[in-house]
Amino acid sequence: MLIGAQTWEFKSKPVILGAATVVGPEEGQGPLSSDFDFVYDNLEIDEKTWEKAERKLLEHASSLALVHAGISKDQLQLFVGGDLMNQIISATFAARTIGAPYLGVFGACSTSMESLAVAAMVVDAGGAQYALAATASHNCTAEKQFRYPTEYGSQKPPTAQYTITGSGAAVVASSGSGPRITHATIGKIQDLGVKDPFNMGEAMAPAAADTLVAHFKDTGRTPEDYDLIVTGDLASVGHAIVSDLLKQDGVTMEKTAFSDCGLMIYDREKQPFVFAGGSGCGCSAVVTYGHILKRMKRGELNRVLIAATGALMSPLSYQQGESIPCIAHAVSIERGEN
Amino acid sequence: MLIGAQTWEFKSKPVILGAATVVGPEEGQGPLSSDFDFVYDNLEIDEKTWEKAERKLLEHASSLALVHAGISKDQLQLFVGGDLMNQIISATFAARTIGAPYLGVFGACSTSMESLAVAAMVVDAGGAQYALAATASHNCTAEKQFRYPTEYGSQKPPTAQYTITGSGAAVVASSGSGPRITHATIGKIQDLGVKDPFNMGEAMAPAAADTLVAHFKDTGRTPEDYDLIVTGDLASVGHAIVSDLLKQDGVTMEKTAFSDCGLMIYDREKQPFVFAGGSGCGCSAVVTYGHILKRMKRGELNRVLIAATGALMSPLSYQQGESIPCIAHAVSIERGEN
């Protein structure tokens, strides 16, 4: 099962039996709009607090994923979830609604692929027939917790990113039809000393490069073995850096479509308020479970690699002068029978 | 591997190859003092911030666990860790030092057994030969984040618990000598509407009862199959409630030693400042990896069940009037060759 230093190879190739994405109004105005299952027309998500809004996104995506998988809540044997909130309250309160055995995980914005990797590991090992992996983020809960309440109107530098509002959920199953999870490369912490939370792309780029290089080394694959490779939320600054870092490591992406979920989700010209691009737990989740899986279903992509990135600082660690430890987890998905 | 509804049975019975515990001065004055590997004589743990102190506990216990397991840091293929801090910074910064592939988990005080269960799952599935599970808590980081800075001198009700200062770490391996992990029962969220963070024992008791009942049902075992069953940190109030709840469910603990790590770690008569007893991520970790494993090694216990409990609220969810969702994860450990 472990191949090389840090990659799990799933012999049974667990199936993504059903997936779902719900997003807020700004993501609904972006270029991937038609790939999302539901677009809320208000940032409040019809709730009275931002926290309840984020939780509702997660519950909504999870329940839609179960519908798409054709299973009931009672058939779920595991829910692996997490989010950016202190004590991951969005996932936990959603877990109360979902009712399945629950493992809370935290990898900041890498939580999307961390939860998918753990769910796939458990299903592959026979620990569950059906496991749900889900995460969510909301622009306003993140701004309030990590930066400043939006109402303060604080200015931001162009390297800043915009936390997406949305949730992505996937039901991983031991059998059935759908895209198949073949490998997961579990990341190591990388910290090159970046301390600026308004430049997370630069902080996270080395983690993405490290995990991608490890993935190719462990599996013996090259970028050309993939039709599409995406990083999680490096956005414009970080994506340029990771391309350079990979080149230095002898990995050239020239013959492969190589992008970043944070660059794909918004139109930065028409939506300049996103600055360098999207971020947040939901970013790689909605792009993967919405856009990428739909492209696979249409036969446009056969094999993809998603390297979700996470900046694991807290407001307190930043205030105490610490640098930002970062991580990336990569999951390889192949087209299965539709 | 999955037996019943929510229990993983580990066919290979992963081994706890080495474990270690380090604690603060108050735990060092408690009845289990001689079972801990290192007792700091100052609550600052020789550091300048409480957060650095907590991280140091985790790094210290982890490095001692590697020594006890007889392996080097480079041989570790996975670190599964978490803690109570926002964005689990103690585990993440420790992961930077440890250097292994890292999965961050969050289950509040149940993180001890959540991390051990996930590590055992990965090792049993062949995803790692050596995996480290570790967690830590510090009284002052928890007081500062969840309640009030200690310096405020706020009064507390007798149902309040005292977050322990300490860390426990275990190296789980696919082969070798030591206690063996046979089962893990993954908990479901239980929330009966308790909203008082100064009465976490009452909030968490239903989760402990639910997981214990599920464990016995899934495995076909009874309490008499264990020499010792402990809950994580229900302390005096919660432990009385869980005993009642189990009786209502037809589970009688009369013939089995049944205790709670939060009751075992302090002498409440000599240490009245702990009120109802101990709590925190480190509580069940240091009692299990220190006291209980040492009793197993001495041949006093052959089979134990640890049901670590977690109260998954955040200060914000409490302020917004939400009740406290709780969970318990249970891990069954058998005496192996010494």
Side-chain angles (χ1 to χ4, degrees):
Chain A
M1 144 78 84
L2 182 76
I3 57 170
Q6 58 196 92
T7 298
W8 298 336
E9 182 178 45
F10 303 119
K11 292 274 184 248
S12 70
K13 300 188 181 181
V15 176
I16 299 178
L17 197 58
T21 51
V22 301
V23 298
E26 286 149 347
E27 296 69 28
Q29 284 154 20
L32 307 185
S33 183
S34 61
D35 286 333
F36 302 130
D37 295 306
F38 192 89
V39 178
Y40 281 90
D41 65 4
N42 64 97
L43 202 50
E44 290 80 9
I45 318 294
D46 306 320
E47 290 288 344
K48 287 190 177 170
T49 70
W50 299 127
E51 291 74 22
K52 281 193 166 73
E54 181 172 314
R55 181 198 313 177
K56 186 174 181 180
L57 291 167
L58 190 44
E59 290 177 345
H60 190 171
S62 297
S63 83
L64 272 183
L66 291 173
V67 170
H68 294 170
I71 66 165
S72 71
K73 224 166 62 165
D74 299 341
Q75 288 177 273
L76 265 189
Q77 286 151 337
L78 186 66
F79 168 41
V80 186
D83 56 83
L84 287 170
M85 292 293 90
N86 296 343
Q87 288 74 53
I88 58 168
I89 48 170
S90 304
T92 296
F93 280 90
R96 186 176 69 180
T97 309
I98 293 164
Y102 167 59
L103 291 175
V105 293
F106 180 79
C109 309
S110 72
T111 300
S112 59
M113 291 303 116
E114 179 180 353
S115 57
L116 188 65
V118 171
M121 157 61 81
V122 173
V123 168
D124 188 57
Q129 192 178 348
Y130 301 110
L132 177 74
T135 186
S137 56
H138 192 295
N139 182 268
C140 297
T141 59
E143 287 294 314
K144 175 178 161 183
Q145 179 178 285
F146 286 104
R147 292 174 277 267
Y148 302 100
T150 308
E151 292 79 1
Y152 280 23
S154 307
Q155 292 196 336
K156 290 180 182 179
T159 53
Q161 294 177 225
Y162 194 81
T163 305
I164 79 119
T165 298
S167 173
V171 174
V172 181
S174 54
S175 62
S177 298
R180 310 195 72 125
I181 304 167
T182 62
H183 299 81
T185 301
I186 306 303
K188 297 177 179 180
I189 297 287
Q190 302 294 319
D191 184 344
L192 269 66
V194 175
K195 293 186 176 187
D196 179 3
F198 286 114
N199 194 354
M200 292 194 302
E202 183 182 355
M204 293 190 292
D210 188 73
T211 296
L212 286 170
V213 168
H215 178 81
F216 296 130
K217 196 174 164 194
D218 288 349
T219 59
R221 290 182 176 178
T222 65
E224 290 89 76
D225 290 317
Y226 289 98
D227 300 315
L228 175 66
I229 298 172
V230 295
T231 47
D233 52 356
L234 297 179
S236 62
V237 180
H239 192 66
I241 298 173
V242 76
S243 302
D244 282 349
L245 290 173
L246 287 170
K247 208 174 281 175
Q248 287 172 25
D249 279 321
V251 176
T252 54
M253 290 290 194
E254 281 148 22
K255 290 180 187 159
T256 301
F258 181 44
S259 190
D260 180 78
C261 301
L263 287 173
M264 295 158 79
I265 191 164
Y266 298 118
D267 181 329
R268 289 168 61 224
E269 295 214 351
K270 288 187 193 149
Q271 300 176 296
F273 57 85
V274 307
F275 294 88
S279 67
C281 274
C283 183
S284 49
V286 301
V287 173
T288 302
Y289 300 146
H291 178 64
I292 294 176
L293 289 193
K294 286 188 182 162
R295 287 194 64 195
M296 292 185 96
K297 195 168 186 177
R298 292 196 296 265
E300 296 167 20
L301 301 168
N302 281 313
R303 196 190 267 175
V304 299
L305 183 63
I306 323 291
T309 38
L312 304 172
M313 82 291 189
S314 79
L316 187 63
S317 71
Y318 163 71
Q319 287 157 6
Q320 292 183 344
E322 303 277 5
S323 55
I324 304 176
C326 294
I327 202 161
H329 303 298
V331 174
S332 170
I333 305 174
E334 280 178 9
R335 193 177 167 217
E337 306 147 46
N338 281 334
Chain B
M1 142 78 86
L2 181 74
I3 56 170
Q6 58 196 92
T7 299
W8 298 337
E9 182 177 45
F10 302 119
K11 293 274 185 244
S12 70
K13 299 187 181 181
V15 176
I16 300 178
L17 198 57
T21 51
V22 301
V23 298
E26 286 149 348
E27 295 69 29
Q29 284 154 20
L32 307 184
S33 184
S34 61
D35 286 332
F36 303 129
D37 296 307
F38 192 89
V39 178
Y40 281 91
D41 64 5
N42 64 97
L43 202 52
E44 291 78 10
I45 319 293
D46 306 321
E47 290 288 345
K48 286 189 176 170
T49 69
W50 299 127
E51 291 74 23
K52 281 195 166 70
E54 182 171 312
R55 180 199 312 178
K56 186 174 180 179
L57 290 167
L58 190 45
E59 290 177 345
H60 191 172
S62 297
S63 84
L64 272 183
L66 291 172
V67 171
H68 294 171
I71 67 164
S72 72
K73 223 166 61 164
D74 300 340
Q75 289 176 271
L76 263 189
Q77 287 151 336
L78 186 66
F79 168 41
V80 186
D83 55 85
L84 288 170
M85 292 292 90
N86 297 343
Q87 289 74 52
I88 57 168
I89 48 170
S90 304
T92 296
F93 280 90
R96 187 175 70 179
T97 309
I98 293 164
Y102 167 59
L103 291 175
V105 293
F106 180 78
C109 309
S110 72
T111 301
S112 59
M113 291 303 116
E114 179 180 355
S115 56
L116 188 65
V118 171
M121 158 61 81
V122 173
V123 168
D124 188 57
Q129 193 178 349
Y130 301 110
L132 177 72
T135 186
S137 56
H138 192 294
N139 182 268
C140 297
T141 59
E143 287 294 314
K144 177 179 162 183
Q145 179 178 283
F146 287 103
R147 291 174 278 268
Y148 303 101
T150 309
E151 293 79 0
Y152 281 24
S154 306
Q155 291 196 337
K156 289 180 182 179
T159 53
Q161 295 178 224
Y162 194 81
T163 305
I164 79 118
T165 299
S167 172
V171 174
V172 181
S174 53
S175 62
S177 300
R180 308 195 74 126
I181 303 167
T182 62
H183 299 80
T185 301
I186 306 303
K188 297 178 180 180
I189 298 287
Q190 302 294 319
D191 185 343
L192 270 65
V194 175
K195 293 186 177 188
D196 179 4
F198 286 114
N199 194 355
M200 293 193 302
E202 183 181 356
M204 294 191 290
D210 187 73
T211 296
L212 287 170
V213 168
H215 178 81
F216 297 130
K217 196 173 164 193
D218 288 349
T219 59
R221 290 182 176 179
T222 64
E224 290 88 75
D225 290 317
Y226 289 98
D227 301 314
L228 174 67
I229 297 172
V230 294
T231 47
D233 52 356
L234 298 180
S236 62
V237 179
H239 192 66
I241 298 173
V242 76
S243 301
D244 281 349
L245 290 172
L246 287 170
K247 207 174 281 176
Q248 286 171 25
D249 278 320
V251 176
T252 54
M253 289 291 195
E254 281 150 22
K255 290 179 186 161
T256 300
F258 181 43
S259 190
D260 179 79
C261 301
L263 287 173
M264 294 158 80
I265 192 165
Y266 297 119
D267 181 329
R268 290 168 61 223
E269 295 213 352
K270 288 186 192 150
Q271 300 175 295
F273 57 85
V274 305
F275 293 88
S279 67
C281 275
C283 183
S284 49
V286 302
V287 173
T288 302
Y289 300 145
H291 178 64
I292 294 174
L293 290 192
K294 286 188 180 161
R295 286 193 65 196
M296 293 185 96
K297 194 168 186 177
R298 291 196 296 264
E300 296 167 20
L301 301 168
N302 281 312
R303 196 189 269 173
V304 299
L305 183 64
I306 323 291
T309 38
L312 304 172
M313 81 292 190
S314 79
L316 188 63
S317 70
Y318 162 70
Q319 287 156 8
Q320 292 183 344
E322 303 276 7
S323 55
I324 304 175
C326 295
I327 202 161
H329 302 299
V331 174
S332 169
I333 305 174
E334 280 179 9
R335 194 176 166 217
E337 305 147 47
N338 281 334

